[in-house]
Amino acid sequence: GANAKLFKNATDTSQALITGKVDACVLDELVARNIANKNKDIIKIIEQPLTSEEYAFAVAKGKEDLLKQINSTIQRLKDEGKIEEFAREHNDL
């Protein structure tokens, strides 16, 4: 019995939720937590994940130098613990 609505972006989606135009919405977790923390009296996060997603960079063919720079930077950030630190920090937005 649910009706789905599509919004242009997370801001429009969250405003529809905050103003009661929709009863629930699906957003990326960090975005949803940020919005929920700013609207604790209105929004609650469902703690059970709906999906497990991975993200990736896409690099045009023939851009090997750029690909090497990206991979090098990602490895350096992993080695320094920065990616894990960022994830922990922004999980509590």
Side-chain angles (χ1 to χ4, degrees):
N3 294 315
K5 292 185 180 185
L6 182 63
F7 295 92
K8 287 192 230 177
N9 53 48
T11 301
D12 290 351
T13 305
S14 64
Q15 284 304 308
L17 184 62
I18 291 166
T19 59
K21 293 179 181 174
V22 297
D23 295 324
C25 64
V26 176
L27 296 166
D28 286 335
E29 182 180 1
L30 293 178
V31 174
R33 288 194 182 282
N34 188 18
I35 293 165
N37 283 339
K38 291 179 181 176
N39 299 279
K40 290 180 182 180
D41 55 328
I42 301 171
I43 299 174
K44 177 176 175 24
I45 296 287
I46 297 171
E47 293 300 332
Q48 182 178 355
L50 300 175
T51 184
S52 176
E53 294 183 34
E54 305 258 343
Y55 294 92
F57 286 95
V59 178
K61 288 183 179 182
K63 300 291 183 178
E64 281 76 21
D65 287 343
L66 177 58
L67 181 60
K68 286 178 187 176
Q69 289 176 336
I70 291 170
N71 285 333
S72 174
T73 300
I74 291 171
Q75 189 59 55
R76 180 178 52 80
L77 292 172
K78 284 182 177 180
D79 293 345
E80 293 173 356
K82 294 293 185 182
I83 291 177
E84 187 65 34
E85 177 184 324
F86 181 80
R88 278 193 314 273
E89 178 182 319
H90 292 282
N91 196 32
D92 295 329
L93 286 177

Coordinates of all heavy atoms in Angstrom, one line a residue:
G1 N 0.8 -1.2 0.0 CA 0.0 0.0 0.0 C 0.8 1.3 0.0 O 0.3 2.3 0.2
A2 N 2.1 1.1 -0.2 CA 3.0 2.3 -0.2 C 3.1 2.9 -1.5 O 2.9 2.3 -2.6 CB 4.4 2.0 0.3
N3 N 3.3 4.2 -1.6 CA 3.5 5.0 -2.8 C 4.9 5.5 -2.8 O 5.3 6.2 -1.9 CB 2.5 6.1 -2.9 CG 1.1 5.6 -3.1 OD1 0.8 4.7 -3.9 ND2 0.1 6.2 -2.4
A4 N 5.6 5.3 -3.8 CA 7.0 5.8 -3.9 C 7.0 7.1 -4.7 O 6.3 7.3 -5.6 CB 7.9 4.8 -4.7
K5 N 7.9 8.0 -4.2 CA 8.1 9.3 -4.8 C 9.6 9.4 -5.0 O 10.4 9.0 -4.2 CB 7.6 10.4 -3.9 CG 6.2 10.5 -3.7 CD 5.7 11.7 -2.9 CE 4.2 11.7 -2.8 NZ 3.8 12.9 -2.1
L6 N 10.0 10.1 -6.1 CA 11.4 10.3 -6.5 C 11.6 11.8 -6.3 O 10.9 12.6 -6.8 CB 11.6 9.9 -7.9 CG 13.1 10.0 -8.4 CD1 14.0 9.1 -7.6 CD2 13.1 9.6 -9.9
F7 N 12.8 12.1 -5.6 CA 13.2 13.5 -5.4 C 14.5 13.8 -6.1 O 15.3 12.8 -6.4 CB 13.3 13.8 -3.9 CG 11.9 13.8 -3.2 CD1 11.5 12.6 -2.6 CD2 11.1 14.8 -3.2 CE1 10.3 12.5 -2.0 CE2 9.9 14.8 -2.5 CZ 9.5 13.6 -1.9
K8 N 14.8 15.0 -6.4 CA 16.0 15.4 -7.1 C 17.3 15.1 -6.3 O 18.3 14.8 -6.9 CB 16.0 16.9 -7.5 CG 15.1 17.3 -8.6 CD 15.4 18.7 -9.0 CE 14.1 19.5 -9.1 NZ 14.4 20.9 -9.5
N9 N 17.2 15.3 -5.0 CA 18.4 15.2 -4.2 C 18.0 14.9 -2.7 O 16.8 14.9 -2.4 CB 19.2 16.5 -4.3 CG 18.4 17.8 -4.0 OD1 17.7 17.8 -3.0 ND2 18.5 18.8 -4.8
A10 N 19.0 14.8 -1.9 CA 18.8 14.4 -0.5 C 18.1 15.6 0.3 O 17.3 15.3 1.2 CB 20.1 14.1 0.2
T11 N 18.4 16.8 -0.1 CA 17.8 18.0 0.6 C 16.3 18.0 0.4 O 15.5 18.1 1.3 CB 18.4 19.3 0.1 OG1 19.8 19.3 0.3 CG2 17.8 20.5 0.7
D12 N 15.9 17.8 -0.9 CA 14.4 17.7 -1.2 C 13.8 16.5 -0.5 O 12.7 16.6 0.0 CB 14.2 17.6 -2.7 CG 14.6 18.9 -3.4 OD1 14.8 20.0 -2.8 OD2 14.6 18.9 -4.7
T13 N 14.5 15.4 -0.5 CA 14.0 14.2 0.1 C 13.8 14.4 1.6 O 12.7 14.1 2.2 CB 14.9 13.0 -0.1 OG1 15.1 12.9 -1.5 CG2 14.3 11.7 0.5
S14 N 14.8 15.0 2.3 CA 14.7 15.2 3.7 C 13.6 16.2 4.1 O 12.9 16.1 5.1 CB 16.1 15.5 4.3 OG 16.5 16.8 3.8
Q15 N 13.5 17.3 3.3 CA 12.5 18.3 3.5 C 11.1 17.7 3.4 O 10.2 18.0 4.2 CB 12.6 19.4 2.6 CG 13.8 20.4 2.9 CD 13.7 20.9 4.3 OE1 12.6 21.4 4.8 NE2 14.7 20.7 5.1
A16 N 10.9 16.8 2.5 CA 9.6 16.1 2.4 C 9.3 15.3 3.6 O 8.2 15.2 4.1 CB 9.6 15.2 1.1
L17 N 10.3 14.6 4.2 CA 10.2 13.9 5.4 C 9.9 14.8 6.6 O 9.0 14.5 7.4 CB 11.4 13.0 5.7 CG 11.4 12.1 6.8 CD1 10.3 11.0 6.7 CD2 12.7 11.4 7.0
I18 N 10.7 15.8 6.7 CA 10.5 16.8 7.9 C 9.2 17.4 7.9 O 8.6 17.6 8.9 CB 11.7 17.8 7.8 CG1 13.0 17.1 8.1 CG2 11.4 19.0 8.8 CD1 14.2 18.0 7.8
T19 N 8.7 17.8 6.7 CA 7.4 18.5 6.6 C 6.2 17.5 6.5 O 5.0 18.0 6.5 CB 7.3 19.4 5.3 OG1 7.5 18.6 4.2 CG2 8.4 20.5 5.4
G20 N 6.4 16.2 6.6 CA 5.4 15.3 6.6 C 4.7 14.9 5.3 O 3.7 14.3 5.2
K21 N 5.4 15.3 4.2 CA 4.9 15.0 2.9 C 5.1 13.5 2.5 O 4.4 12.9 1.7 CB 5.5 15.9 1.8 CG 5.1 17.3 2.0 CD 5.7 18.2 0.9 CE 5.3 19.6 1.1 NZ 6.0 20.6 0.3
V22 N 6.1 12.9 3.2 CA 6.4 11.5 3.1 C 6.6 10.9 4.5 O 6.9 11.6 5.4 CB 7.6 11.1 2.2 CG1 7.4 11.6 0.8 CG2 8.9 11.7 2.8
D23 N 6.4 9.6 4.7 CA 6.5 9.0 6.0 C 7.9 8.4 6.2 O 8.3 8.1 7.3 CB 5.5 7.9 6.1 CG 4.0 8.4 6.1 OD1 3.8 9.5 6.7 OD2 3.2 7.7 5.6
A24 N 8.6 8.1 5.1 CA 9.9 7.5 5.2 C 10.7 7.8 3.9 O 10.1 8.2 2.9 CB 9.8 6.0 5.4
C25 N 12.0 7.7 4.0 CA 12.8 7.9 2.8 C 14.1 7.0 2.9 O 14.5 6.5 4.0 CB 13.2 9.3 2.6 SG 14.2 10.0 3.9
V26 N 14.7 6.8 1.8 CA 15.9 6.0 1.7 C 17.0 7.0 1.2 O 16.9 7.6 0.1 CB 15.8 4.8 0.7 CG1 17.1 4.1 0.6 CG2 14.7 3.9 1.2
L27 N 18.1 7.1 2.0 CA 19.2 7.9 1.7 C 20.5 7.2 2.0 O 20.5 6.2 2.7 CB 19.2 9.2 2.5 CG 18.0 10.2 2.3 CD1 18.0 11.2 3.5 CD2 18.2 10.9 1.0
D28 N 21.7 7.7 1.5 CA 23.0 7.2 1.9 C 23.1 7.4 3.4 O 22.6 8.4 4.0 CB 24.1 7.9 1.2 CG 24.2 7.6 -0.2 OD1 23.8 6.4 -0.6 OD2 24.8 8.4 -1.0
E29 N 23.7 6.4 4.1 CA 23.8 6.4 5.5 C 24.3 7.7 6.1 O 23.7 8.3 7.1 CB 24.5 5.2 6.0 CG 24.6 5.2 7.6 CD 25.3 4.0 8.1 OE1 25.9 3.2 7.3 OE2 25.4 3.8 9.3
L30 N 25.5 8.2 5.7 CA 26.1 9.4 6.3 C 25.2 10.6 6.1 O 25.0 11.4 7.0 CB 27.5 9.6 5.7 CG 28.5 8.6 6.0 CD1 29.9 8.9 5.4 CD2 28.7 8.5 7.5
V31 N 24.6 10.7 5.0 CA 23.6 11.8 4.7 C 22.4 11.7 5.7 O 22.0 12.7 6.3 CB 23.2 11.8 3.2 CG1 22.1 12.9 3.0 CG2 24.4 12.1 2.3
A32 N 21.9 10.5 5.7 CA 20.7 10.3 6.6 C 21.1 10.6 8.1 O 20.3 11.2 8.8 CB 20.2 8.9 6.4
R33 N 22.2 10.2 8.5 CA 22.6 10.4 9.9 C 22.8 11.9 10.2 O 22.4 12.4 11.2 CB 23.8 9.7 10.3 CG 23.6 8.2 10.4 CD 24.7 7.4 11.1 NE 24.4 6.0 11.1 CZ 23.6 5.4 12.0 NH1 23.0 6.2 12.9 NH2 23.4 4.1 12.0
N34 N 23.3 12.6 9.2 CA 23.5 14.0 9.4 C 22.2 14.7 9.5 O 22.0 15.6 10.4 CB 24.3 14.6 8.2 CG 24.7 16.0 8.4 OD1 24.7 16.6 9.5 ND2 25.1 16.7 7.3
I35 N 21.3 14.4 8.6 CA 19.9 15.0 8.7 C 19.2 14.6 9.9 O 18.6 15.5 10.6 CB 19.1 14.6 7.4 CG1 19.8 15.2 6.2 CG2 17.7 15.0 7.5 CD1 19.3 14.6 4.9
A36 N 19.3 13.4 10.3 CA 18.6 12.9 11.5 C 19.1 13.6 12.8 O 18.4 14.0 13.7 CB 18.7 11.4 11.7
N37 N 20.4 13.8 12.9 CA 21.0 14.4 14.0 C 20.6 15.9 14.1 O 20.5 16.4 15.2 CB 22.6 14.3 14.0 CG 23.0 12.9 14.4 OD1 22.3 12.2 15.1 ND2 24.2 12.6 14.0
K38 N 20.3 16.5 13.0 CA 19.9 17.9 13.0 C 18.4 18.0 13.3 O 17.9 19.1 13.5 CB 20.2 18.6 11.7 CG 21.7 18.8 11.5 CD 22.0 19.4 10.1 CE 23.5 19.6 9.9 NZ 23.8 20.1 8.6
N39 N 17.7 16.9 13.2 CA 16.2 16.9 13.4 C 15.8 15.7 14.3 O 14.9 15.0 14.0 CB 15.6 16.7 12.0 CG 15.9 17.9 11.1 OD1 15.3 18.9 11.2 ND2 16.8 17.7 10.2
K40 N 16.5 15.6 15.4 CA 16.3 14.5 16.3 C 14.8 14.3 16.8 O 14.4 13.2 17.1 CB 17.2 14.6 17.5 CG 18.7 14.3 17.1 CD 19.6 14.5 18.3 CE 21.0 14.3 17.9 NZ 22.0 14.4 18.9
D41 N 14.1 15.4 16.9 CA 12.8 15.3 17.4 C 11.8 14.9 16.3 O 10.6 14.6 16.6 CB 12.3 16.7 18.0 CG 12.5 17.8 17.0 OD1 13.4 17.8 16.1 OD2 11.7 18.8 17.0
I42 N 12.2 14.8 15.1 CA 11.4 14.5 13.9 C 11.7 13.2 13.2 O 10.9 12.4 12.8 CB 11.4 15.6 12.9 CG1 10.9 16.9 13.5 CG2 10.5 15.3 11.7 CD1 11.1 18.1 12.6
I43 N 13.1 12.9 13.1 CA 13.5 11.8 12.3 C 14.3 10.8 13.1 O 15.1 11.1 14.0 CB 14.5 12.3 11.2 CG1 13.7 13.3 10.3 CG2 15.1 11.2 10.4 CD1 14.6 14.0 9.3
K44 N 14.0 9.5 12.8 CA 14.8 8.4 13.5 C 15.3 7.5 12.4 O 14.7 7.2 11.4 CB 13.8 7.6 14.4 CG 14.4 6.4 15.0 CD 13.5 5.7 15.9 CE 14.0 4.4 16.5 NZ 15.3 4.2 16.7
I45 N 16.6 7.1 12.6 CA 17.2 6.2 11.6 C 16.9 4.8 12.0 O 16.9 4.4 13.1 CB 18.8 6.4 11.7 CG1 19.2 7.8 11.3 CG2 19.5 5.3 10.9 CD1 19.1 8.0 9.8
I46 N 16.5 4.0 11.0 CA 16.3 2.5 11.2 C 17.7 1.9 11.2 O 18.5 2.1 10.2 CB 15.5 1.9 10.0 CG1 14.1 2.6 10.1 CG2 15.4 0.4 10.2 CD1 13.3 2.2 8.9
E47 N 18.1 1.3 12.3 CA 19.5 0.8 12.4 C 19.8 -0.4 11.6 O 21.0 -0.7 11.5 CB 19.8 0.6 13.9 CG 19.8 1.9 14.7 CD 20.8 2.9 14.3 OE1 21.9 2.6 13.7 OE2 20.6 4.1 14.5
Q48 N 18.9 -1.1 11.1 CA 19.2 -2.3 10.3 C 19.5 -1.9 8.9 O 18.6 -1.3 8.2 CB 18.0 -3.3 10.3 CG 18.2 -4.5 9.6 CD 17.1 -5.5 9.7 OE1 16.1 -5.2 10.4 NE2 17.1 -6.6 8.9
P49 N 20.7 -2.1 8.4 CA 21.0 -1.7 7.0 C 20.1 -2.4 6.0 O 19.8 -3.6 6.1 CB 22.5 -2.2 6.8 CG 23.0 -2.5 8.2 CD 21.8 -2.8 9.1
L50 N 19.7 -1.6 5.0 CA 18.9 -2.2 3.9 C 19.8 -2.9 2.8 O 19.3 -3.7 2.1 CB 18.1 -1.1 3.3 CG 17.1 -0.4 4.2 CD1 16.5 0.8 3.5 CD2 16.1 -1.3 4.7
T51 N 21.0 -2.4 2.7 CA 21.9 -2.9 1.7 C 23.4 -2.6 2.1 O 23.6 -1.9 3.1 CB 21.6 -2.1 0.4 OG1 22.5 -2.7 -0.6 CG2 21.9 -0.7 0.4
S52 N 24.3 -3.3 1.5 CA 25.7 -3.0 1.7 C 26.3 -2.6 0.4 O 26.3 -3.3 -0.6 CB 26.4 -4.3 2.2 OG 27.8 -4.1 2.3
E53 N 26.7 -1.3 0.3 CA 27.2 -0.8 -0.9 C 28.6 -0.5 -0.9 O 29.1 -0.1 0.2 CB 26.4 0.5 -1.3 CG 24.9 0.3 -1.6 CD 24.2 1.6 -2.0 OE1 24.9 2.4 -2.6 OE2 23.1 1.7 -1.6
E54 N 29.3 -0.5 -2.0 CA 30.7 -0.2 -2.1 C 30.8 1.0 -3.1 O 29.9 1.1 -4.0 CB 31.5 -1.3 -2.6 CG 31.4 -2.6 -1.7 CD 32.5 -2.8 -0.8 OE1 33.6 -2.2 -1.0 OE2 32.4 -3.5 0.2
Y55 N 31.8 1.8 -3.0 CA 31.9 2.9 -3.9 C 33.3 2.8 -4.6 O 34.2 2.1 -4.1 CB 31.9 4.3 -3.2 CG 30.6 4.6 -2.6 CD1 30.3 4.2 -1.3 CD2 29.6 5.2 -3.3 CE1 29.0 4.5 -0.7 CE2 28.4 5.5 -2.8 CZ 28.1 5.1 -1.5 OH 26.8 5.4 -1.0
A56 N 33.4 3.4 -5.8 CA 34.6 3.2 -6.6 C 34.8 4.5 -7.4 O 33.9 5.3 -7.5 CB 34.4 2.1 -7.5
F57 N 36.1 4.7 -7.8 CA 36.4 5.8 -8.7 C 36.4 5.2 -10.1 O 36.8 4.1 -10.3 CB 37.9 6.3 -8.4 CG 38.0 7.1 -7.2 CD1 38.3 6.5 -6.0 CD2 37.7 8.5 -7.2 CE1 38.5 7.3 -4.8 CE2 37.8 9.2 -6.1 CZ 38.2 8.6 -4.9
A58 N 36.0 6.0 -11.0 CA 36.0 5.6 -12.5 C 37.0 6.6 -13.1 O 36.9 7.8 -12.9 CB 34.7 5.8 -13.1
V59 N 37.9 6.0 -13.9 CA 39.0 6.8 -14.6 C 38.9 6.4 -16.1 O 38.8 5.3 -16.4 CB 40.4 6.5 -14.0 CG1 41.4 7.3 -14.7 CG2 40.4 6.9 -12.5
A60 N 38.9 7.5 -16.9 CA 38.9 7.2 -18.3 C 40.1 6.4 -18.8 O 41.2 6.5 -18.3 CB 38.9 8.6 -19.1
K61 N 39.9 5.5 -19.8 CA 41.0 4.7 -20.3 C 42.0 5.7 -20.9 O 41.7 6.7 -21.4 CB 40.4 3.8 -21.5 CG 39.6 2.7 -21.0 CD 39.2 1.8 -22.2 CE 38.4 0.6 -21.7 NZ 38.0 -0.3 -22.8
G62 N 43.3 5.3 -20.7 CA 44.4 6.1 -21.2 C 44.9 7.1 -20.1 O 45.9 7.8 -20.4
K63 N 44.3 7.1 -19.0 CA 44.7 8.1 -17.9 C 45.4 7.3 -16.8 O 45.1 7.4 -15.6 CB 43.4 8.8 -17.4 CG 42.7 9.6 -18.4 CD 43.5 10.8 -18.8 CE 42.7 11.6 -19.8 NZ 43.4 12.8 -20.2
E64 N 46.4 6.5 -17.2 CA 47.1 5.7 -16.3 C 47.8 6.5 -15.2 O 47.9 6.1 -14.0 CB 48.1 4.8 -17.0 CG 47.5 3.6 -17.6 CD 46.8 3.9 -18.9 OE1 47.1 5.0 -19.5 OE2 45.9 3.1 -19.3
D65 N 48.3 7.7 -15.5 CA 49.0 8.5 -14.5 C 48.0 9.0 -13.4 O 48.3 8.9 -12.2 CB 49.6 9.8 -15.1 CG 50.9 9.4 -15.9 OD1 51.4 8.3 -15.7 OD2 51.3 10.3 -16.7
L66 N 46.8 9.3 -13.8 CA 45.8 9.7 -12.9 C 45.4 8.5 -12.0 O 45.2 8.6 -10.8 CB 44.6 10.3 -13.6 CG 43.4 10.6 -12.7 CD1 43.7 11.7 -11.7 CD2 42.2 11.1 -13.6
L67 N 45.2 7.4 -12.7 CA 44.9 6.1 -11.9 C 45.9 5.8 -10.9 O 45.6 5.5 -9.7 CB 44.7 5.0 -12.9 CG 44.3 3.6 -12.3 CD1 42.9 3.8 -11.5 CD2 44.2 2.6 -13.4
K68 N 47.2 5.9 -11.3 CA 48.3 5.7 -10.3 C 48.2 6.6 -9.1 O 48.4 6.2 -8.0 CB 49.6 5.7 -11.0 CG 49.9 4.5 -11.9 CD 51.3 4.7 -12.6 CE 51.5 3.6 -13.6 NZ 52.7 3.8 -14.4
Q69 N 48.0 7.9 -9.4 CA 47.9 8.9 -8.3 C 46.7 8.6 -7.4 O 46.9 8.7 -6.2 CB 47.7 10.3 -8.9 CG 48.9 10.8 -9.6 CD 48.7 12.2 -10.3 OE1 47.6 12.5 -10.6 NE2 49.8 12.9 -10.4
I70 N 45.6 8.2 -8.0 CA 44.4 7.9 -7.1 C 44.7 6.7 -6.3 O 44.5 6.7 -5.0 CB 43.2 7.7 -8.0 CG1 42.7 9.0 -8.6 CG2 42.0 7.1 -7.2 CD1 41.6 8.9 -9.7
N71 N 45.2 5.6 -6.9 CA 45.5 4.4 -6.1 C 46.6 4.7 -5.0 O 46.5 4.2 -3.9 CB 46.0 3.3 -7.1 CG 44.8 2.7 -7.8 OD1 43.7 2.7 -7.4 ND2 45.1 2.2 -9.0
S72 N 47.6 5.5 -5.4 CA 48.6 5.8 -4.4 C 48.1 6.6 -3.2 O 48.4 6.3 -2.1 CB 49.7 6.6 -5.1 OG 50.7 7.1 -4.2
T73 N 47.2 7.5 -3.5 CA 46.6 8.3 -2.4 C 45.7 7.5 -1.6 O 45.7 7.6 -0.3 CB 45.8 9.5 -3.0 OG1 46.7 10.3 -3.8 CG2 45.1 10.4 -2.0
I74 N 44.9 6.6 -2.2 CA 44.0 5.7 -1.4 C 44.9 4.8 -0.5 O 44.6 4.7 0.7 CB 43.1 4.9 -2.3 CG1 42.1 5.8 -3.0 CG2 42.4 3.8 -1.5 CD1 41.3 5.1 -4.1
Q75 N 45.9 4.3 -1.0 CA 46.8 3.4 -0.2 C 47.4 4.2 0.9 O 47.5 3.7 2.1 CB 47.9 2.7 -1.1 CG 48.6 1.7 -0.3 CD 47.7 0.6 0.2 OE1 47.0 -0.1 -0.6 NE2 47.8 0.3 1.5
R76 N 47.9 5.4 0.7 CA 48.5 6.2 1.7 C 47.5 6.5 2.8 O 47.8 6.4 4.0 CB 49.1 7.5 1.1 CG 49.7 8.4 2.2 CD 50.3 9.7 1.6 NE 49.3 10.4 0.7 CZ 48.4 11.3 1.2 NH1 48.2 11.4 2.5 NH2 47.6 11.9 0.4
L77 N 46.3 6.9 2.4 CA 45.2 7.2 3.4 C 44.9 5.9 4.2 O 44.6 6.0 5.4 CB 44.0 7.8 2.7 CG 44.2 9.1 2.1 CD1 43.0 9.5 1.2 CD2 44.5 10.2 3.1
K78 N 44.8 4.8 3.6 CA 44.6 3.5 4.3 C 45.7 3.3 5.3 O 45.5 3.0 6.5 CB 44.5 2.3 3.4 CG 43.2 2.2 2.6 CD 43.2 1.0 1.8 CE 41.9 0.8 1.0 NZ 41.9 -0.4 0.2
D79 N 47.0 3.4 4.8 CA 48.2 3.2 5.7 C 48.2 4.1 6.9 O 48.6 3.7 8.0 CB 49.5 3.3 4.9 CG 49.6 2.2 3.8 OD1 48.9 1.2 3.9 OD2 50.5 2.4 2.9
E80 N 47.8 5.3 6.7 CA 47.8 6.3 7.8 C 46.6 6.2 8.7 O 46.4 6.9 9.7 CB 47.8 7.7 7.1 CG 49.1 8.1 6.4 CD 49.0 9.4 5.7 OE1 48.0 10.1 5.7 OE2 50.1 9.8 5.1
G81 N 45.6 5.3 8.3 CA 44.4 5.2 9.1 C 43.4 6.3 8.9 O 42.4 6.4 9.6
K82 N 43.6 7.1 7.9 CA 42.7 8.2 7.7 C 41.3 7.8 7.2 O 40.3 8.5 7.5 CB 43.3 9.2 6.7 CG 44.6 9.9 7.2 CD 44.3 10.8 8.3 CE 45.5 11.6 8.7 NZ 45.3 12.4 9.9
I83 N 41.3 6.8 6.4 CA 39.9 6.4 5.9 C 39.1 5.8 7.0 O 37.9 6.2 7.1 CB 40.1 5.3 4.7 CG1 40.7 6.1 3.5 CG2 38.8 4.7 4.4 CD1 41.0 5.2 2.3
E84 N 39.7 5.0 7.8 CA 38.9 4.5 9.0 C 38.6 5.6 10.0 O 37.5 5.7 10.5 CB 39.8 3.5 9.7 CG 39.1 2.8 10.8 CD 37.9 1.9 10.4 OE1 38.0 1.4 9.3 OE2 36.9 1.8 11.1
E85 N 39.5 6.6 10.1 CA 39.2 7.7 11.0 C 38.0 8.6 10.4 O 37.1 9.0 11.2 CB 40.5 8.6 11.1 CG 40.3 9.9 11.9 CD 41.6 10.7 11.8 OE1 42.7 10.1 11.8 OE2 41.5 12.0 11.8
F86 N 38.1 8.8 9.2 CA 37.0 9.6 8.5 C 35.7 8.8 8.7 O 34.6 9.5 9.0 CB 37.3 9.8 7.0 CG 36.3 10.5 6.3 CD1 36.3 11.9 6.3 CD2 35.3 9.9 5.5 CE1 35.3 12.6 5.6 CE2 34.4 10.6 4.8 CZ 34.4 12.0 4.9
A87 N 35.6 7.5 8.5 CA 34.4 6.8 8.6 C 33.9 6.8 10.0 O 32.7 7.0 10.2 CB 34.6 5.3 8.2
R88 N 34.7 6.7 11.0 CA 34.3 6.8 12.4 C 33.8 8.2 12.7 O 32.7 8.3 13.3 CB 35.4 6.5 13.4 CG 35.7 5.0 13.6 CD 36.6 4.8 14.8 NE 37.8 5.6 14.8 CZ 38.9 5.4 14.2 NH1 39.1 4.3 13.5 NH2 40.0 6.2 14.2
E89 N 34.5 9.2 12.3 CA 34.1 10.6 12.5 C 32.8 10.9 12.0 O 31.9 11.5 12.6 CB 35.2 11.5 12.0 CG 34.9 13.0 12.2 CD 36.0 13.8 11.5 OE1 37.2 13.5 11.7 OE2 35.6 14.8 10.9
H90 N 32.5 10.5 10.7 CA 31.3 10.9 10.0 C 30.2 9.9 10.3 O 29.0 10.2 9.8 CB 31.6 11.1 8.6 CG 32.5 12.3 8.3 ND1 32.0 13.6 8.4 CD2 33.8 12.4 8.1 CE1 33.0 14.4 8.2 NE2 34.1 13.7 8.0
N91 N 30.4 8.9 10.9 CA 29.3 8.0 11.3 C 28.5 8.6 12.4 O 27.3 8.2 12.6 CB 29.9 6.6 11.8 CG 28.8 5.6 11.8 OD1 27.9 5.6 11.0 ND2 29.0 4.6 12.7
D92 N 29.0 9.6 13.1 CA 28.3 10.2 14.2 C 27.8 11.6 13.8 O 27.5 12.4 14.7 CB 29.2 10.3 15.4 CG 29.6 9.0 16.0 OD1 28.8 8.1 15.9 OD2 30.7 8.8 16.5
L93 N 27.7 11.9 12.6 CA 27.3 13.3 12.2 C 26.0 13.6 12.8 O 25.0 13.5 12.8 CB 27.2 13.4 10.6 CG 28.6 13.5 10.0 CD1 28.4 13.5 8.4 CD2 29.3 14.7 10.3

